[in-house]
Amino acid sequence: MRCDEVMELIQRNLDGDLTNDEYEQFVDHLSTCSECRDLNDCFKQLSFDLETLPKVDPPFSLVDSILPQISLLPTICTQRKSKAKYWVMASSAAAIIAAVLVWRINSSQPTDSASMKMERSAITDTTAKDTAAKDTTAMAGSPQISTPVQVDKAKAKIADPVPTLKAVEKPIKKPTPTEASDKGRNTVVEKTEMPSAAPAEKQEVTAPVLKEEIVAMDKVPTNTSKENEAAVAASMAKKQASEQPTAQDQDPPPQRTLIASSDAPNTAAEARSIMGVQPAAQTYVSPDGRLSATAVDHVILVRNNKTEVQFQSHRFNQVDQVHIYWLDNQQLVYELKQANGVERWKINLALGKEQKE
Amino acid sequence: MYESDLIKAAQSGDRDALIQLLRDIEKPVYRTAFYILKNEQDALDAAQEALIRIYNKINTYQEKAKFSTWVQRIVTNICIDHCRKKKEQMVSIDEFELPLQDSTDVEGEVERVATASEIQTAINLLPEHHRVVITLRYIQDYSYAEIAQALELPINTVKSHLFRARQQLQHLLPDYQKGGVRI
């Protein structure tokens, strides 16, 4: 047996792959060839040390870390699939209602609660008489114009109150006119400039700049897009939620109102987030309204409609501003603005991870 | 070995069984990811992604293959994707001229022992496909057949990768070169 042939036997012998005959030939050759014997010793030692490499363990339970994401994923059970379909229908109905509200707002109708409630159902004609004629029950009974995130004050307080964020409701400036009908970006939350949080809260969280058609609610483009419709729905939902906090408890479908607020939720603004537009309460709702993202206590929290935390970002240092916007129902981006620059992070809820961009 | 009953229960929709199954495999998944991706953070990301994918695709597992090799296939594919996305410039073994350690003191009777970190560093220098095979062979203790099943490669290809990887490691680590082997 030649030395070049023995090299393969040396390797295979490390894996116990030699037959009895091959092993005998192999041993015979080694007994007569010192070079091959030395080489065999080298590889034996290497293989032995490879086998003793540490069996590393994860620093925490990976399964526990992905449980929130797993809970969002569809399962074999058809019940969840049915729920998903129902959400789609509810979202469509909410969008229609939002369109009515946008039209209503555009006509500079009073935004009192009564009129807000009356603005449902009709898509086109939204004169004062018509809107006054519409009954509030239409709002209450049908799929609510609200985000799936419950406006449950109690829950919000227990879960993760953001009193400091609530203090920053009033935008300090209106957003510049944007392409309201840019449907391809309708899930992108507009950034707002908002005053920093209360002194007790080190982190300065800013709400995204509201779109022009959303901020004032008094000047909505006539060419209403889904974003504008969402804004209309938001204003109506805001009024509704302020007067009917229990509406959120209806099941199904859950209210499309926002949470993460220990005070009275700005449901009108929150309802705007139906299409992923940032409401004044600094809670950013996903396009389908099932999730909401909030910057609180140096982390980004993503919650479902039951205020259960689905994802928590890494803890970041004090920043000047935090901008959050949804790319789609499972992905969102948040930007941490500091004096020395901006950090962009992308959260992928399906994967349960975030990545710095 | 993972109980087939647990797997069947998971496939039939028993969420608790599926989660228990994930708990049983999370360590092997992480270990494979760690040695392929070479750092903890990437390994955590890849392992979590693998577990989620296993959760989603549990019904696609067929008993004709071992469950562990099916799991390892998923995690290795994810790790390979991670490597390619990172577009790391692997140090070509042909370009690597010098051993990792200065061997000037090996000429005599001094015996040096390659530490685990040195071996791991050498493994990190291997091309991706060699690193994967080494990981499955020595971290998961797989046979040729199991590696071939996990990577969906012919056995001869597996052998070729494994033998070549060991040769590269032997070249990188002076302790395993002739004259420098500890007894």
Side-chain angles (χ1 to χ4, degrees), chain B residues 16-171:
Chain B
D16 291 338
L18 181 51
I19 290 177
Q20 182 57 47
L21 202 57
L22 293 180
R23 294 192 190 280
D24 291 343
I25 63 173
E26 70 172 303
K27 285 185 180 178
V29 166
Y30 174 77
R31 285 169 188 161
T32 294
F34 180 85
Y35 278 98
I36 294 177
L37 297 177
K38 306 177 286 186
N39 71 87
E40 181 181 88
Q41 187 56 51
D42 288 346
L44 290 171
D45 291 344
Q48 288 173 324
E49 184 177 341
L51 292 172
I52 291 174
R53 190 175 296 186
I54 291 167
Y55 179 91
N56 280 330
K57 293 182 177 297
I58 190 64
N59 279 340
T60 65
Y61 165 68
Q62 298 175 355
E63 291 187 2
K64 60 182 180 182
K66 280 182 63 176
F67 183 71
S68 67
T69 56
W70 179 77
V71 167
Q72 290 297 322
R73 181 185 310 158
I74 290 175
V75 64
T76 52
N77 286 339
I78 289 173
C79 291
I80 291 171
D81 288 343
H82 274 235
C83 288
R84 291 172 182 171
K85 284 179 183 177
K86 274 192 167 186
K87 296 181 181 178
E88 286 182 345
Q89 296 299 323
M90 298 301 300
V91 174
S92 167
I93 211 69
D94 297 328
E95 299 170 356
F96 198 86
E97 299 176 352
L98 298 176
L100 291 174
Q101 300 292 332
D102 184 1
S103 59
T104 53
D105 59 342
V106 182
E107 184 177 353
E109 301 295 326
V110 176
E111 293 182 355
R112 286 190 69 256
V113 176
T115 64
S117 64
E118 291 173 345
I119 297 174
Q120 194 165 339
T121 300
I123 292 175
N124 293 344
L125 293 173
L126 295 177
E128 161 193 299
H129 50 293
H130 290 177
R131 196 161 67 244
V132 170
V133 174
I134 284 287
T135 299
L136 294 179
R137 167 64 180 85
Y138 288 102
I139 302 301
Q140 302 300 337
D141 202 26
Y142 274 9
S143 64
Y144 295 152
E146 289 171 328
I147 297 174
Q149 195 176 71
L151 301 181
E152 296 182 300
L153 292 173
I155 287 184
N156 286 338
T157 304
V158 169
K159 288 183 180 180
S160 173
H161 287 337
L162 181 60
F163 297 171
R164 178 64 181 145
R166 284 197 281 233
Q167 286 177 337
Q168 292 172 341
L169 289 175
Q170 190 255 352
H171 174 74

Side-chain angles (χ1 to χ4, degrees), chain A residues 186 213 218 226 269 354:
Chain A
N186 60 357
E213 61 273 16
D218 58 0
K226 288 187 177 179
E354 63 176 353

